[in-house]
Structures are given as structure tokens and as C-alpha cells.
Amino acid sequence: MRAHARSRFAFAFALVAVAFAATAASALAGNVNIVRQGKAPPVAPPHTHYFKTIQAAVNASTAGDYVLIEAGVYDESVKVTSAQSGIWIRGMNRNKVILDGQNKPGNGIEIYKTNNVWVENLTVRNFDTGCSSCGNEIWWNGGGNSGKVGAHGWFGSYLTAYDTGLNGSYGIFTGNETEGSWENIYASGFNDSGIYLGACQECNARI
């Protein structure tokens, strides 16, 4: 009986080892797209690429890739589309990675009809109202005003959104999407809602 048990244990262990190796290989298959305002190193590790802007790094990413943003103030709006489903956008320091709208009309980070996108560990500020659907700092947009759920899988953690001019619409915003979560988030200074989840009858959300 003991020999039979050892045989079953060895077989189970072999299956676990194979599963772990497959998972590790899958994790290593993605690219790491680093956003750096300074000079990139002359030689980068495999699967690592450097970009000057967040949008350029996002555009180069596909499912399983990471966009890692180094400390700095970034004067840009970022839009994520369905070609980038399944990516991670992660700042290297919540308080020092800042997308700054300079109190002009626009959106900070908009994830448009795109599934399973993570945004983590950064700050977006001062993207104001003044144009159609503007004034949103971080927006998982499954199809605003469509009356339909157009995406699923929205995940945000360690995020800060604020507007010093009190002229932003929504700080951290998910609409027309299901199945997601926010953790450790903060928003202030908005003339509508700092944190907003809506347009989903069964949202399946955790906040």
C-alpha cells in the first residue's frame, strides 16, 4: 500500500511541476514596456522595451504585457483600446508617477471597450470638463451612453485622482462594464463624483 501511495504522490508531484513550469513560461512570454523620461540603457534585458510616453508603451502592448511607468510628471492623455485587452499599467510609485491634465479639458486614462485591464499605483490629476465626455481621470469605459455593457474585467488598486480646480467630473470611474474591483483608492475635488460605478445592472463588483 505504501509503495502504491508513493507512486501516486510522485505522479501528482510531477503534474504540479509541469503545471508550474507552464505557468512560469506563460508569465515570461509577455513583454515589459518601460516608460522612462530619461535616457534608456544601451542594452535592455530580453522582452524589455523603453518608451518616452505612456501612450507609446500602451500602443506597443498586447495581452499579458506590462506597462511600467517610472517616476515623473507626464503631460499626456492615454487611451487603451481593445487591441490592448489583458494588459497591466503600473506606476513605480503611487505619489511620484503623475499624469497631469493641467486643468484643461480631457480625460486622463480611458480604457475604452477593453476587457481585463489593470491600472495600479499612480496618480492622475486635473483633467477637467469642457468638452464632450471630458473630465474623467481614470475611466474604464464600456460604452458611455450606449445603454449596453461593452466590456468586462476592470481592476484598479493604489490609485489617486484629484482636481485642484474643482472642475473635474469623475475621478475613478467605471461605466457599462462588469466583473471588476477597486482597492486602496482615493479621489477628491470633483464637481460630480470622486468615485463612480454605474450603468451595469449586475455589476459583479468589489470596492
Side-chain angles (χ1 to χ4, degrees), residues 62 104 149 176:
T62 57
K104 298 175 183 178
V149 170
N176 304 89

Side-chain angles (χ1 to χ4, degrees), residues 37 73-77 98-102 104:
Q37 293 179 327
V73 178
Y74 294 85
D75 177 17
E76 61 175 301
S77 296
I98 302 170
L99 278 75
D100 187 4
Q102 301 180 351
K104 298 175 183 178

Side-chain angles (χ1 to χ4, degrees), residues 35-47:
V35 184
R36 173 178 290 184
Q37 293 179 327
K39 189 176 180 180
V43 179
H47 304 290

Side-chain angles (χ1 to χ4, degrees), residues 65-144:
D65 290 351
Y66 278 82
V67 174
L68 297 184
I69 310 167
E70 295 189 351
V73 178
Y74 294 85
D75 177 17
E76 61 175 301
S77 296
V78 176
K79 190 163 187 176
V80 183
T81 64
S82 58
Q84 289 90 41
S85 290
I87 70 169
W88 280 260
I89 300 172
R90 179 179 295 172
M92 302 300 288
N93 185 305
R94 179 178 183 171
N95 297 319
K96 293 182 179 180
V97 174
I98 302 170
L99 278 75
D100 187 4
Q102 301 180 351
N103 294 116
K104 298 175 183 178
N107 294 309
I109 302 174
E110 180 184 1
I111 301 102
Y112 181 71
K113 291 188 176 180
T114 305
N115 299 329
N116 300 319
V117 173
W118 283 254
V119 182
E120 302 172 320
N121 206 42
L122 50 78
T123 294
V124 184
R125 70 186 183 196
N126 295 332
F127 288 86
D128 286 357
T129 58
C131 63
S132 178
S133 300
C134 284
N136 306 298
E137 312 307 294
I138 306 170
W139 183 14
W140 285 265
N141 178 7

Side-chain angles (χ1 to χ4, degrees), residues 94 109 124-127 129 135-140 154 159-164 166-175 182 184-198 207:
R94 179 178 183 171
I109 302 174
V124 184
R125 70 186 183 196
N126 295 332
F127 288 86
T129 58
N136 306 298
E137 312 307 294
I138 306 170
W139 183 14
W140 285 265
W154 48 273
L159 299 174
T160 299
Y162 65 90
D163 195 299
T164 57
L166 306 181
N167 198 32
S169 183
Y170 294 135
I172 300 173
F173 175 19
T174 295
W182 289 324
N184 296 293
I185 62 173
Y186 173 85
S188 69
F190 296 94
N191 64 25
D192 196 327
S193 182
I195 298 168
Y196 182 91
L197 169 68
I207 299 175

